[in-house]
Amino acid sequence: MVETEYEGIVKMLRFFVQTKNFSYVDRIGNALNPEPVEVTLLEALRAFRSIRESASIGGDGRRYVEKDGNKIPVPGIPSDEEVKKFLDDVRSDMGVAKLVATLALSYPSKKENSGGDEWCF
Amino acid sequence: MFLSVGVRFEANVEALNMVETAGNYGKHRRVPYLVEEDGKLKTVYVPAISGESLAHAYQEHLVREALSAGLPVCDDCQRGEFYKSMNKVHLGKKVNPIPDDPKAIEEAIVKACVVEDVGGFLYAEKPPVRRSSAFQVSYALPVKSVALFATSEPQLHARHAQMDASSKKGNASEQMIYYVETGTALYGFTFNLDLDAVGVSAITSKPVLDGDEIKKRREVSLKALFRMLSSSQFGAKLSRFFPVGGITELVVAVTDHPFVVTSPIYDDYIEKTKRRLEVLKSFGEESFLVVAGEEKVPEEALKEAIDYLNEKGAF
């Protein structure tokens, strides 16, 4: 998988894409200035926390949600350092937001079984 | 004749347009909004109610008014499921066999259903047939001057289930907490109705119904708007989040040709609308304007507009 400095955010947005909720990734990818990115990330993190807390825990101890009969792994919550760096970088270069949204829409080059480092945060 | 209505309404603690539920969190629709602060424009996110939501409510009222006037409404629309003859399955319920000619398809749909006549449809088969809606509705957005006071705030609620040790399963909780994001704002929206489009083909621009039927349909279209505004029956979650407030101002303009009132999100919208109509008058175009505010209630203003249209022979 392509490494970026915003891996947690990419994984979180990819999770929303897998659950067919394109709203956050579209709003971040299409933003023309930093404000929509900030608000969207806040909303995405809030929704993601709620989903993660109510997600089922499988036999392997990992969290997942079921959608259309598929089990979708719930990745970890992005770290505060990563979120801050992302927002700081977006304020100086809007291309960062587009990159993150584009990566979230792509297939990861390596299969993500767990969906992310859910134990780390 | 073209009717345009600008509505301002105050809604405190409303959940009129929820967009998604994530876990135990139900979100209100929000939109980016340009406001001016210290001479600079900035974007803020404010609670909003979509035009789709308002249009759905209007069409539900249209169903009721049409049925009570003995006018035809198709089965799908009667159920409040506005598929609008989108494919062969739905169109087949109205006309069978389905004609090949787009004009014949449109005529069959218009004759069979008032909602699809007034609200338009898209038959997405071969040949595709599209009919634009005769009514238009904007998003409801906070009034500009007070947009920064609009709020979107989650309220905590809980559902309680009495559980003893025998009925408790797994880690089920006796209390389920959930959040409903409520909006509070002074909203404004615009509603337009092109009465000349009712019962008239969008393909040939010729009437597909007789004159009496067209007049009846125009009348129910207006009554549906009256009922929707008068009853505040629009938006979601009314059973527990019926907005506290009501219409504070309303302006109705009736013109011979399309004219839209200045958006009620601006404080001077009534004055601007009046001035714009004066210009139309100088071109020899007749118009009618009524304002509901401190002196008139919204129902009185709407009734005056309906009476004016009646006098003009619109129905």
Side-chain angles (χ1 to χ4, degrees):
Chain A
M1 189 169 60
V2 176
E3 291 291 324
T4 76
E5 295 166 284
Y6 323 107
E7 215 50 67
I9 296 170
V10 171
K11 283 177 179 169
M12 178 182 72
L13 293 175
R14 189 172 280 150
F15 166 79
F16 283 117
V17 170
Q18 286 170 330
T19 55
K20 297 188 169 50
N21 179 347
F22 289 85
S23 159
Y24 303 117
V25 75
D26 287 340
R27 285 163 64 191
I28 288 175
N30 294 330
L32 298 174
N33 53 60
E35 281 82 8
V37 179
E38 288 168 9
V39 173
T40 305
L41 190 60
L42 170 70
E43 288 183 16
L45 283 164
R46 177 65 186 88
F48 187 61
R49 267 195 174 273
S50 284
I51 292 168
R52 197 167 188 278
E53 279 160 19
S54 58
S56 305
I57 299 176
D60 56 359
R62 288 173 173 158
R63 291 171 193 267
Y64 66 88
V65 294
E66 285 195 41
K67 174 98 178 170
D68 303 331
N70 297 320
K71 280 188 176 179
I72 300 168
V74 183
I77 295 165
S79 71
D80 59 350
E81 294 98 339
E82 181 184 327
V83 169
K84 185 172 183 313
K85 177 156 180 38
F86 173 70
L87 292 177
D88 285 344
D89 291 351
V90 164
R91 280 183 207 111
S92 56
D93 177 11
M94 281 302 297
V96 170
K98 207 168 283 293
L99 170 71
V100 163
T102 308
L103 287 172
L105 286 165
S106 68
Y107 276 116
S109 49
K110 193 172 77 180
K111 192 168 173 62
E112 290 174 277
N113 286 326
S114 70
D117 306 320
E118 65 179 88
W119 303 110
C120 298
F121 309 113
Chain B
M1 304 291 277
F2 196 91
L3 179 111
S4 180
V5 186
V7 183
R8 268 188 174 190
F9 69 98
E10 184 182 333
N12 295 290
V13 196
E14 54 78 16
L16 291 168
N17 197 180
M18 310 306 281
V19 283
E20 65 178 334
T21 302
N24 64 351
Y25 193 74
K27 284 168 57 186
H28 197 289
R29 182 179 297 282
R30 264 181 281 183
V31 293
Y33 204 51
L34 275 182
V35 292
E36 198 179 320
E37 202 177 46
D38 303 328
K40 285 182 181 172
L41 284 175
K42 70 174 202 174
T43 309
V44 292
Y45 278 75
V46 292
I49 301 154
S50 74
E52 286 282 6
S53 168
L54 296 171
H56 184 91
Y58 173 71
Q59 289 174 125
E60 283 194 334
H61 288 280
L62 189 55
V63 170
R64 286 189 208 173
E65 294 297 332
L67 289 176
S68 62
L71 293 171
V73 178
C74 71
D75 290 346
D76 288 336
C77 289
Q78 282 194 34
R79 282 196 301 272
E81 293 169 355
F82 302 118
Y83 297 122
K84 308 282 194 69
S85 305
M86 63 184 184
N87 57 25
K88 285 177 184 168
V89 175
H90 292 284
L91 179 56
K93 296 176 196 172
K94 296 184 182 75
V95 54
N96 203 352
I98 294 169
D100 294 328
D101 180 18
K103 291 196 284 282
I105 292 173
E106 188 200 27
E107 188 175 331
I109 297 171
V110 167
K111 280 184 174 165
C113 184
V114 171
V115 176
E116 287 167 85
D117 176 9
V118 177
F121 59 81
L122 174 63
Y123 175 62
E125 298 272 6
K126 286 182 183 173
V129 184
R130 185 180 74 89
R131 179 178 176 80
S132 291
S133 173
F135 79 91
Q136 305 164 338
V137 62
S138 72
Y139 266 48
L141 299 173
V143 167
K144 281 250 163 173
S145 58
V146 290
L148 290 174
F149 299 105
T151 63
S152 173
E153 192 185 80
Q155 292 293 326
L156 175 71
H157 296 271
R159 282 198 186 121
H160 187 83
Q162 208 103 52
M163 279 192 278
D164 55 26
S166 61
S167 61
K168 195 167 162 74
K169 286 180 184 164
N171 58 355
S173 171
E174 284 185 45
Q175 277 197 340
M176 190 191 84
I177 58 166
Y178 62 101
Y179 296 87
V180 178
E181 220 173 60
T182 57
T184 286
L186 178 61
Y187 288 106
F189 74 91
T190 311
F191 182 100
N192 305 320
L193 179 61
D194 185 0
L195 291 165
D196 292 336
V198 177
V200 173
S201 168
I203 301 169
T204 64
S205 300
K206 287 179 181 156
V208 292
L209 303 168
D210 69 57
D212 281 348
E213 173 89 2
I214 288 176
K215 285 183 176 183
K216 276 187 195 168
R217 290 188 180 201
R218 286 174 177 171
E219 190 175 0
V220 296
S221 306
L222 291 162
K223 280 185 174 170
L225 174 63
F226 183 99
R227 186 69 65 184
M228 174 179 140
L229 296 175
S230 179
S231 65
S232 299
Q233 293 297 305
F234 55 83
K237 274 191 167 303
L238 296 181
S239 58
R240 295 296 180 272
F241 292 87
F242 191 83
V244 184
I247 296 175
T248 55
E249 279 179 356
L250 178 142
V251 54
V252 191
V254 182
T255 46
D256 290 341
H257 302 292
F259 170 87
V260 176
V261 297
T262 302
S263 173
I265 64 167
Y266 302 112
D267 285 341
D268 58 353
Y269 74 107
I270 294 172
E271 198 50 44
K272 279 249 175 82
T273 302
K274 282 180 182 167
R275 282 174 57 194
R276 291 171 57 220
L277 280 173
E278 285 299 317
V279 177
L280 281 192
K281 230 176 241 177
S282 72
F283 295 155
E285 190 172 329
E286 215 175 312
S287 64
F288 171 86
L289 182 77
V290 61
V291 178
E294 286 173 8
E295 289 174 10
K296 268 185 202 144
V297 295
E299 285 82 353
E300 287 169 337
L302 286 164
K303 174 78 168 50
E304 273 185 41
I306 290 171
D307 288 344
Y308 173 79
L309 282 161
N310 197 3
E311 279 170 28
K312 296 289 284 179
F315 54 87

